[in-house]
Amino acid sequence: MKEYEVIWEIFNKCPRNQMRDVFVEEVEIEDPEEYIKEKFAGKDVSYEKTVLADGSIVYDIQTSGIRQRCSFTEF
């Protein structure tokens, strides 16, 4: 298992409000993609995965018309 810091961002749909909800947690998981699948199980969801140069993994997520992002940085 690997340890990750996960930053989960929920983007606000209001055009004049640029604030977003941000949640930070530390998780011990084997596969970040499985974490995403479990987190949004039972919902109509699509996502794109990006691996950054520093090894961080970013998932840009669309579910229920809301844009979200989960970023995984390994410890």
Coordinates of all heavy atoms in Angstrom, one line a residue:
M1 N 0.8 -1.2 0.0 CA 0.0 0.0 0.0 C 0.9 1.2 0.0 O 2.0 1.2 0.5 CB -0.9 0.0 1.2 CG -1.9 -1.0 1.3 SD -3.5 -0.4 0.8 CE -4.5 -1.7 1.2
K2 N 0.3 2.3 -0.6 CA 1.1 3.6 -0.6 C 0.3 4.6 0.1 O -1.0 4.5 0.3 CB 1.2 4.0 -2.1 CG 2.0 3.1 -2.9 CD 2.1 3.6 -4.3 CE 2.9 2.7 -5.2 NZ 3.0 3.1 -6.6
E3 N 1.0 5.6 0.7 CA 0.3 6.7 1.4 C 0.3 7.9 0.5 O 1.3 8.3 -0.2 CB 1.1 7.1 2.6 CG 0.7 6.3 3.9 CD 1.4 6.9 5.1 OE1 0.8 7.9 5.6 OE2 2.4 6.4 5.5
Y4 N -0.9 8.5 0.4 CA -1.1 9.7 -0.4 C -1.8 10.8 0.4 O -2.6 10.5 1.3 CB -2.1 9.4 -1.6 CG -1.6 8.5 -2.6 CD1 -1.8 7.1 -2.5 CD2 -0.8 8.9 -3.7 CE1 -1.3 6.2 -3.5 CE2 -0.4 8.1 -4.7 CZ -0.6 6.7 -4.6 OH -0.2 5.9 -5.6
E5 N -1.5 12.1 0.0 CA -2.2 13.2 0.5 C -3.2 13.4 -0.7 O -2.8 13.5 -1.8 CB -1.4 14.4 0.7 CG -2.2 15.7 1.0 CD -1.4 16.9 1.1 OE1 -0.9 17.3 0.0 OE2 -1.3 17.5 2.2
V6 N -4.5 13.5 -0.3 CA -5.6 13.7 -1.3 C -6.2 15.0 -1.1 O -6.6 15.4 0.0 CB -6.6 12.6 -1.3 CG1 -7.7 12.8 -2.3 CG2 -6.0 11.2 -1.4
I7 N -6.2 15.8 -2.2 CA -6.9 17.1 -2.2 C -8.1 17.0 -3.1 O -7.9 16.7 -4.3 CB -6.0 18.3 -2.6 CG1 -4.8 18.3 -1.7 CG2 -6.8 19.6 -2.6 CD1 -3.7 19.3 -2.1
W8 N -9.3 17.1 -2.5 CA -10.6 17.0 -3.3 C -11.2 18.4 -3.4 O -11.5 19.0 -2.3 CB -11.5 16.0 -2.5 CG -12.8 15.8 -3.1 CD1 -13.2 16.0 -4.4 CD2 -14.0 15.5 -2.4 NE1 -14.5 15.7 -4.6 CE2 -15.1 15.4 -3.4 CE3 -14.3 15.2 -1.1 CZ2 -16.4 15.1 -3.0 CZ3 -15.6 14.9 -0.8 CH2 -16.6 14.8 -1.7
E9 N -11.3 18.9 -4.6 CA -11.9 20.2 -4.8 C -13.2 20.0 -5.5 O -13.4 19.3 -6.5 CB -11.0 21.0 -5.7 CG -9.6 21.2 -5.1 CD -8.7 21.8 -6.2 OE1 -8.6 23.1 -6.3 OE2 -8.0 21.0 -6.9
I10 N -14.2 20.8 -5.0 CA -15.5 20.8 -5.7 C -15.7 22.3 -6.2 O -15.8 23.2 -5.4 CB -16.7 20.5 -4.7 CG1 -16.4 19.1 -4.1 CG2 -18.0 20.5 -5.4 CD1 -17.4 18.7 -3.0
F11 N -15.8 22.4 -7.5 CA -15.9 23.8 -8.1 C -17.3 24.3 -8.0 O -18.2 23.6 -8.3 CB -15.3 23.7 -9.5 CG -13.9 23.4 -9.6 CD1 -13.5 22.1 -9.7 CD2 -12.9 24.4 -9.6 CE1 -12.1 21.7 -9.7 CE2 -11.6 24.1 -9.6 CZ -11.2 22.7 -9.7
N12 N -17.4 25.6 -7.7 CA -18.7 26.3 -7.6 C -19.2 26.5 -9.0 O -18.5 27.0 -9.9 CB -18.5 27.6 -6.8 CG -19.8 28.2 -6.4 OD1 -20.8 28.2 -7.2 ND2 -19.9 28.7 -5.2
K13 N -20.5 26.3 -9.2 CA -21.1 26.5 -10.6 C -21.5 28.0 -10.8 O -21.8 28.3 -12.0 CB -22.4 25.6 -10.7 CG -22.0 24.1 -10.8 CD -23.3 23.3 -10.8 CE -24.0 23.4 -12.1 NZ -25.1 22.5 -12.3
C14 N -21.6 28.8 -9.8 CA -22.0 30.2 -10.0 C -20.8 30.9 -10.6 O -19.7 30.9 -10.2 CB -22.3 30.8 -8.6 SG -23.7 30.0 -7.8
P15 N -21.1 31.6 -11.7 CA -20.0 32.3 -12.5 C -19.3 33.4 -11.8 O -18.2 33.7 -12.0 CB -20.7 32.8 -13.7 CG -22.2 32.9 -13.4 CD -22.4 31.8 -12.4
R16 N -20.0 34.1 -10.8 CA -19.3 35.2 -10.1 C -18.7 34.7 -8.8 O -18.1 35.5 -8.1 CB -20.3 36.3 -9.8 CG -20.7 36.9 -11.1 CD -21.5 38.1 -10.9 NE -21.7 38.8 -12.2 CZ -21.8 40.1 -12.3 NH1 -21.8 40.9 -11.3 NH2 -22.0 40.6 -13.5
N17 N -18.8 33.5 -8.4 CA -18.3 33.0 -7.2 C -17.2 32.0 -7.5 O -17.5 30.9 -7.9 CB -19.4 32.3 -6.3 CG -18.9 31.9 -5.0 OD1 -17.7 31.9 -4.7 ND2 -19.8 31.5 -4.1
Q18 N -16.0 32.4 -7.3 CA -14.8 31.5 -7.7 C -14.4 30.7 -6.5 O -13.4 29.9 -6.7 CB -13.7 32.4 -8.2 CG -14.0 33.2 -9.5 CD -14.4 32.2 -10.6 OE1 -13.7 31.3 -10.9 NE2 -15.5 32.6 -11.3
M19 N -15.0 30.7 -5.4 CA -14.7 29.9 -4.2 C -15.0 28.5 -4.5 O -15.9 28.2 -5.3 CB -15.4 30.4 -3.0 CG -15.1 31.8 -2.6 SD -13.4 32.1 -2.2 CE -13.2 31.1 -0.8
R20 N -14.4 27.6 -3.9 CA -14.7 26.1 -4.0 C -14.5 25.5 -2.7 O -13.7 25.9 -1.8 CB -13.8 25.5 -5.1 CG -12.3 25.7 -4.9 CD -11.6 25.1 -6.1 NE -10.3 25.6 -6.1 CZ -9.6 26.0 -7.2 NH1 -10.2 25.9 -8.4 NH2 -8.4 26.5 -7.2
D21 N -15.1 24.3 -2.5 CA -14.9 23.5 -1.3 C -13.6 22.7 -1.5 O -13.4 22.1 -2.6 CB -16.1 22.6 -1.1 CG -17.4 23.3 -0.8 OD1 -17.3 24.4 -0.1 OD2 -18.5 22.8 -1.2
V22 N -12.8 22.7 -0.5 CA -11.5 21.9 -0.6 C -11.4 21.1 0.6 O -11.6 21.5 1.8 CB -10.3 22.9 -0.7 CG1 -9.0 22.1 -0.7 CG2 -10.4 23.8 -1.9
F23 N -11.2 19.8 0.4 CA -11.0 18.8 1.5 C -9.7 18.2 1.3 O -9.3 17.8 0.2 CB -12.1 17.8 1.5 CG -13.5 18.3 1.5 CD1 -14.2 18.6 0.3 CD2 -14.1 18.6 2.7 CE1 -15.4 19.1 0.3 CE2 -15.4 19.2 2.7 CZ -16.1 19.4 1.5
V24 N -9.0 18.0 2.5 CA -7.6 17.4 2.4 C -7.6 16.2 3.4 O -8.2 16.3 4.5 CB -6.5 18.3 2.9 CG1 -5.2 17.7 2.9 CG2 -6.5 19.6 2.0
E25 N -7.1 15.0 2.9 CA -7.0 13.9 3.8 C -5.8 13.0 3.4 O -5.3 13.2 2.3 CB -8.3 13.0 3.7 CG -8.5 12.4 2.4 CD -9.8 11.5 2.4 OE1 -10.1 10.8 3.4 OE2 -10.5 11.5 1.4
E26 N -5.4 12.2 4.3 CA -4.3 11.3 4.1 C -4.9 9.9 4.0 O -5.7 9.5 4.9 CB -3.2 11.3 5.2 CG -2.5 12.7 5.2 CD -1.5 12.8 6.4 OE1 -1.2 11.7 7.0 OE2 -1.0 13.9 6.6
V27 N -4.6 9.2 2.9 CA -5.1 7.8 2.7 C -4.0 6.8 2.4 O -3.0 7.2 1.9 CB -6.2 7.8 1.6 CG1 -7.4 8.7 2.0 CG2 -5.6 8.2 0.3
E28 N -4.2 5.6 2.8 CA -3.3 4.5 2.5 C -4.1 3.6 1.5 O -5.0 2.9 1.9 CB -2.9 3.8 3.7 CG -1.7 2.9 3.5 CD -1.2 2.3 4.9 OE1 -0.9 3.1 5.8 OE2 -1.1 1.1 4.9
I29 N -3.7 3.6 0.2 CA -4.4 2.9 -0.8 C -3.4 2.3 -1.8 O -2.3 2.7 -1.8 CB -5.4 3.7 -1.6 CG1 -4.7 5.0 -2.1 CG2 -6.6 4.1 -0.7 CD1 -5.6 5.9 -3.0
E30 N -3.9 1.3 -2.5 CA -3.0 0.7 -3.5 C -3.1 1.4 -4.9 O -2.2 1.6 -5.6 CB -3.4 -0.8 -3.7 CG -2.4 -1.6 -4.5 CD -1.0 -1.6 -3.9 OE1 -0.9 -1.8 -2.7 OE2 0.0 -1.5 -4.7
D31 N -4.4 1.8 -5.2 CA -4.7 2.3 -6.5 C -5.6 3.6 -6.4 O -6.8 3.4 -6.1 CB -5.3 1.3 -7.4 CG -5.6 1.7 -8.8 OD1 -5.2 2.8 -9.2 OD2 -6.3 0.9 -9.5
P32 N -5.1 4.8 -6.8 CA -5.9 6.0 -6.7 C -7.2 5.9 -7.6 O -8.2 6.4 -7.2 CB -5.0 7.1 -7.2 CG -3.6 6.6 -6.9 CD -3.7 5.1 -7.1
E33 N -7.1 5.2 -8.7 CA -8.3 5.1 -9.6 C -9.4 4.3 -8.9 O -10.6 4.6 -9.0 CB -7.9 4.5 -10.9 CG -9.0 4.6 -11.9 CD -8.5 4.4 -13.4 OE1 -7.3 4.4 -13.6 OE2 -9.4 4.4 -14.3
E34 N -9.0 3.2 -8.2 CA -10.0 2.5 -7.4 C -10.7 3.4 -6.4 O -11.9 3.3 -6.1 CB -9.4 1.2 -6.8 CG -9.2 0.1 -7.8 CD -10.4 -0.3 -8.5 OE1 -11.5 -0.5 -7.8 OE2 -10.4 -0.5 -9.7
Y35 N -9.9 4.2 -5.7 CA -10.4 5.2 -4.7 C -11.5 6.1 -5.4 O -12.5 6.3 -4.8 CB -9.2 6.0 -4.2 CG -9.6 7.1 -3.2 CD1 -9.7 6.8 -1.8 CD2 -9.9 8.4 -3.7 CE1 -10.1 7.8 -0.9 CE2 -10.3 9.4 -2.8 CZ -10.3 9.1 -1.4 OH -10.7 10.1 -0.5
I36 N -11.2 6.6 -6.6 CA -12.1 7.4 -7.3 C -13.4 6.6 -7.6 O -14.5 7.1 -7.4 CB -11.5 8.0 -8.6 CG1 -10.4 8.9 -8.3 CG2 -12.6 8.7 -9.4 CD1 -10.7 10.2 -7.5
K37 N -13.3 5.4 -8.1 CA -14.4 4.6 -8.4 C -15.3 4.3 -7.2 O -16.5 4.4 -7.3 CB -14.0 3.3 -9.1 CG -13.4 3.5 -10.5 CD -13.0 2.2 -11.0 CE -12.4 2.4 -12.4 NZ -11.8 1.1 -13.0
E38 N -14.7 4.0 -6.1 CA -15.4 3.8 -4.8 C -16.1 5.1 -4.3 O -17.2 5.0 -3.9 CB -14.5 3.2 -3.8 CG -14.1 1.8 -4.1 CD -13.1 1.2 -3.0 OE1 -13.1 1.8 -1.9 OE2 -12.4 0.3 -3.3
K39 N -15.4 6.2 -4.4 CA -15.9 7.5 -3.9 C -17.2 7.9 -4.6 O -18.1 8.4 -4.0 CB -14.8 8.5 -4.0 CG -15.2 9.9 -3.4 CD -14.0 10.8 -3.3 CE -14.1 11.9 -2.3 NZ -14.2 11.5 -0.9
F40 N -17.2 7.6 -5.9 CA -18.4 8.0 -6.7 C -19.2 6.9 -7.2 O -19.9 7.0 -8.2 CB -17.8 8.9 -7.9 CG -17.2 10.1 -7.5 CD1 -15.8 10.2 -7.5 CD2 -17.9 11.2 -7.1 CE1 -15.1 11.4 -7.1 CE2 -17.3 12.4 -6.7 CZ -15.9 12.5 -6.7
A41 N -19.1 5.8 -6.5 CA -19.9 4.6 -6.9 C -21.4 4.9 -6.9 O -21.9 5.6 -6.0 CB -19.6 3.4 -5.9
G42 N -22.1 4.4 -7.9 CA -23.5 4.6 -8.1 C -23.9 5.9 -8.7 O -25.1 6.2 -8.8
K43 N -23.0 6.7 -9.1 CA -23.3 8.0 -9.7 C -22.8 8.0 -11.2 O -21.9 7.2 -11.5 CB -22.5 9.1 -9.0 CG -23.0 9.3 -7.5 CD -22.3 10.4 -6.9 CE -22.8 10.5 -5.4 NZ -22.3 11.6 -4.7
D44 N -23.5 8.8 -12.0 CA -23.1 9.0 -13.3 C -21.8 9.8 -13.3 O -21.9 11.0 -13.1 CB -24.2 9.6 -14.1 CG -23.9 9.7 -15.6 OD1 -23.0 9.0 -16.1 OD2 -24.5 10.6 -16.3
V45 N -20.7 9.3 -13.6 CA -19.4 10.0 -13.4 C -18.5 9.7 -14.6 O -18.5 8.7 -15.2 CB -18.7 9.6 -12.1 CG1 -18.3 8.2 -12.1 CG2 -17.5 10.5 -11.8
S46 N -17.8 10.8 -15.0 CA -16.7 10.6 -16.0 C -15.5 11.4 -15.4 O -15.6 12.3 -14.7 CB -17.1 11.2 -17.4 OG -17.3 12.6 -17.3
Y47 N -14.3 10.9 -15.8 CA -13.1 11.6 -15.3 C -11.9 11.4 -16.3 O -11.9 10.5 -17.1 CB -12.7 11.0 -13.9 CG -12.5 9.5 -13.9 CD1 -11.3 9.0 -14.2 CD2 -13.5 8.7 -13.5 CE1 -11.0 7.6 -14.1 CE2 -13.3 7.3 -13.4 CZ -12.1 6.8 -13.7 OH -11.9 5.4 -13.6
E48 N -11.0 12.3 -16.2 CA -9.7 12.2 -16.9 C -8.6 12.2 -16.0 O -8.6 13.0 -15.0 CB -9.6 13.5 -17.9 CG -10.6 13.5 -19.0 CD -10.4 14.7 -19.9 OE1 -9.2 15.2 -20.0 OE2 -11.3 15.0 -20.6
K49 N -7.6 11.4 -16.2 CA -6.5 11.2 -15.4 C -5.3 11.9 -16.0 O -5.0 11.8 -17.2 CB -6.2 9.7 -15.2 CG -4.9 9.4 -14.4 CD -4.7 7.9 -14.4 CE -3.4 7.6 -13.7 NZ -3.1 6.1 -13.7
T50 N -4.5 12.6 -15.2 CA -3.3 13.3 -15.6 C -2.2 13.0 -14.6 O -2.4 13.1 -13.4 CB -3.5 14.8 -15.7 OG1 -4.6 15.1 -16.6 CG2 -2.2 15.5 -16.3
V51 N -1.0 12.5 -15.1 CA 0.1 12.3 -14.2 C 1.1 13.5 -14.5 O 1.6 13.7 -15.6 CB 0.8 11.0 -14.5 CG1 2.0 10.8 -13.6 CG2 -0.2 9.8 -14.4
L52 N 1.4 14.2 -13.4 CA 2.2 15.4 -13.5 C 3.7 15.0 -13.5 O 4.0 13.9 -13.1 CB 1.9 16.4 -12.4 CG 0.4 16.9 -12.3 CD1 0.3 17.8 -11.2 CD2 0.0 17.5 -13.6
A53 N 4.6 15.9 -13.8 CA 6.0 15.6 -13.9 C 6.6 15.2 -12.5 O 7.5 14.4 -12.4 CB 6.8 16.8 -14.4
D54 N 6.0 15.7 -11.4 CA 6.5 15.4 -10.1 C 5.9 14.0 -9.6 O 6.1 13.6 -8.4 CB 6.2 16.5 -9.1 CG 4.7 16.7 -8.8 OD1 3.8 16.0 -9.4 OD2 4.4 17.5 -7.9
G55 N 5.1 13.3 -10.4 CA 4.5 12.1 -10.0 C 3.1 12.2 -9.4 O 2.5 11.1 -9.2
S56 N 2.6 13.4 -9.2 CA 1.3 13.6 -8.6 C 0.3 13.1 -9.7 O 0.5 13.2 -10.9 CB 1.0 15.0 -8.3 OG 1.9 15.4 -7.3
I57 N -0.9 12.6 -9.2 CA -1.9 12.1 -10.1 C -3.1 13.0 -9.9 O -3.6 13.1 -8.7 CB -2.2 10.6 -9.8 CG1 -1.0 9.8 -10.0 CG2 -3.3 10.1 -10.7 CD1 -1.1 8.4 -9.4
V58 N -3.7 13.5 -11.0 CA -4.8 14.4 -10.9 C -6.0 13.8 -11.7 O -5.8 13.4 -12.9 CB -4.5 15.8 -11.4 CG1 -5.7 16.7 -11.4 CG2 -3.3 16.4 -10.6
Y59 N -7.2 13.7 -11.1 CA -8.4 13.3 -11.7 C -9.3 14.5 -11.8 O -9.7 15.0 -10.8 CB -9.0 12.1 -11.0 CG -8.3 10.9 -11.0 CD1 -7.3 10.6 -10.0 CD2 -8.5 9.9 -12.0 CE1 -6.6 9.4 -10.0 CE2 -7.8 8.7 -12.0 CZ -6.8 8.5 -11.1 OH -6.1 7.3 -11.1
D60 N -9.7 14.9 -13.1 CA -10.7 15.9 -13.3 C -12.0 15.1 -13.5 O -12.1 14.3 -14.4 CB -10.3 16.8 -14.5 CG -9.2 17.7 -14.1 OD1 -9.4 18.5 -13.2 OD2 -8.1 17.7 -14.8
I61 N -13.0 15.4 -12.7 CA -14.2 14.6 -12.6 C -15.4 15.5 -12.9 O -15.5 16.6 -12.5 CB -14.3 14.1 -11.1 CG1 -13.0 13.3 -10.8 CG2 -15.6 13.3 -10.9 CD1 -12.8 13.1 -9.3
Q62 N -16.4 14.9 -13.6 CA -17.7 15.4 -13.9 C -18.7 14.5 -13.3 O -18.7 13.3 -13.7 CB -17.9 15.5 -15.3 CG -17.8 16.8 -16.1 CD -18.2 18.1 -15.5 OE1 -17.4 18.8 -14.9 NE2 -19.4 18.5 -15.6
T63 N -19.5 14.9 -12.4 CA -20.6 14.1 -11.8 C -21.8 15.0 -11.5 O -21.6 16.0 -10.9 CB -20.1 13.2 -10.7 OG1 -21.2 12.4 -10.2 CG2 -19.7 14.0 -9.5
S64 N -22.9 14.6 -11.9 CA -24.2 15.3 -11.6 C -24.1 16.8 -12.0 O -24.6 17.7 -11.3 CB -24.5 15.2 -10.1 OG -24.7 13.9 -9.7
G65 N -23.3 17.0 -13.1 CA -23.2 18.4 -13.6 C -22.2 19.2 -12.8 O -22.1 20.4 -13.0
I66 N -21.5 18.6 -11.9 CA -20.6 19.4 -11.0 C -19.1 19.0 -11.4 O -18.8 17.8 -11.4 CB -20.8 19.1 -9.6 CG1 -22.3 19.6 -9.2 CG2 -19.8 19.8 -8.7 CD1 -22.7 19.3 -7.8
R67 N -18.3 20.0 -11.6 CA -16.9 19.7 -11.8 C -16.1 19.6 -10.5 O -16.3 20.4 -9.6 CB -16.3 20.9 -12.6 CG -14.9 20.6 -13.2 CD -14.4 21.6 -14.2 NE -14.0 22.8 -13.6 CZ -12.8 23.2 -13.4 NH1 -11.8 22.5 -13.8 NH2 -12.5 24.4 -12.9
Q68 N -15.3 18.5 -10.4 CA -14.5 18.2 -9.2 C -13.1 17.8 -9.6 O -12.9 17.5 -10.8 CB -15.2 17.1 -8.4 CG -16.6 17.5 -8.0 CD -17.3 16.4 -7.2 OE1 -16.6 15.8 -6.3 NE2 -18.5 16.1 -7.5
R69 N -12.2 17.8 -8.7 CA -10.9 17.4 -8.9 C -10.3 16.7 -7.7 O -10.5 17.2 -6.6 CB -10.0 18.6 -9.3 CG -8.5 18.2 -9.5 CD -7.7 19.4 -9.9 NE -8.1 19.8 -11.2 CZ -8.1 21.1 -11.6 NH1 -7.8 22.1 -10.8 NH2 -8.5 21.4 -12.8
C70 N -9.7 15.6 -7.9 CA -8.9 14.9 -6.8 C -7.5 14.8 -7.2 O -7.2 14.3 -8.3 CB -9.5 13.5 -6.6 SG -11.1 13.4 -5.7
S71 N -6.6 15.3 -6.4 CA -5.2 15.3 -6.6 C -4.5 14.4 -5.6 O -4.7 14.5 -4.4 CB -4.6 16.7 -6.5 OG -5.2 17.5 -7.4
F72 N -3.7 13.4 -6.0 CA -3.0 12.5 -5.2 C -1.5 12.7 -5.2 O -0.9 12.7 -6.3 CB -3.2 11.0 -5.7 CG -4.7 10.6 -5.6 CD1 -5.6 11.0 -6.5 CD2 -5.1 9.8 -4.5 CE1 -6.9 10.5 -6.4 CE2 -6.4 9.4 -4.4 CZ -7.3 9.8 -5.4
T73 N -0.9 13.0 -4.1 CA 0.5 13.2 -4.0 C 1.1 12.1 -3.0 O 0.6 12.1 -1.8 CB 0.9 14.6 -3.5 OG1 0.3 15.6 -4.3 CG2 2.4 14.8 -3.4
E74 N 2.0 11.3 -3.5 CA 2.5 10.2 -2.6 C 3.5 10.8 -1.6 O 4.3 11.7 -1.9 CB 3.2 9.2 -3.5 CG 3.5 7.9 -2.8 CD 4.1 6.8 -3.7 OE1 4.0 7.0 -4.9 OE2 4.6 5.9 -3.2
F75 N 3.4 10.2 -0.4 CA 4.4 10.6 0.7 C 5.7 9.8 0.5 O 5.8 8.8 0.1 CB 3.9 10.2 2.0 CG 2.8 11.1 2.5 CD1 1.5 10.7 2.7 CD2 3.0 12.5 2.7 CE1 0.5 11.5 3.1 CE2 2.0 13.3 3.2 CZ 0.7 12.8 3.4

